Amino acid sequence: SATFDLSPGKYVLICNIPGHYKDGMYTALEVKSSSDSKGGSVRVSLGESFIKADSPSQAAGSTTFEVSNTGKSSHNFVVIRTDLSPEKLVTN
């Protein structure tokens, strides 16, 4: 698990192991303004060619990502704030 203080905006969750993003290991997450800014938790599954979050949105604030690898390969988990859609990120 990892905890971040997320401000409102658009984020992309990716695996940054070479080739994994290109193979589809990414998903979008929108962080929305909240009157209490409590944040919360997001469960994330990593596997061959996918990243799945239990929700496409999250309240702003302290957010804990509970990440599990359900695949056979090793994977990394990276959170990126961007206005680009997930498939538009540059991955050179």
Side-chain angles (χ1 to χ4, degrees), residues 13 27-30 41-44 52-59:
L13 313 178
T27 194
L29 178 73
E30 183 176 3
S41 64
V42 178
R43 285 180 291 219
V44 179
K52 293 181 184 173
D54 66 347
S55 176
S57 64
Q58 171 65 29

Side-chain angles (χ1 to χ4, degrees), residues 13 24 30 37-38 54 63 84:
L13 313 178
E30 183 176 3
S37 294
K38 288 186 177 180
D54 66 347
T63 302
L84 295 173

Side-chain angles (χ1 to χ4, degrees), residues 14-26 49 86 89 91:
I14 71 166
C15 177
N16 68 345
I17 291 178
H20 288 202
Y21 174 87
K22 183 179 176 184
D23 288 343
M25 287 199 70
Y26 57 83
S49 303
L89 290 178
T91 59

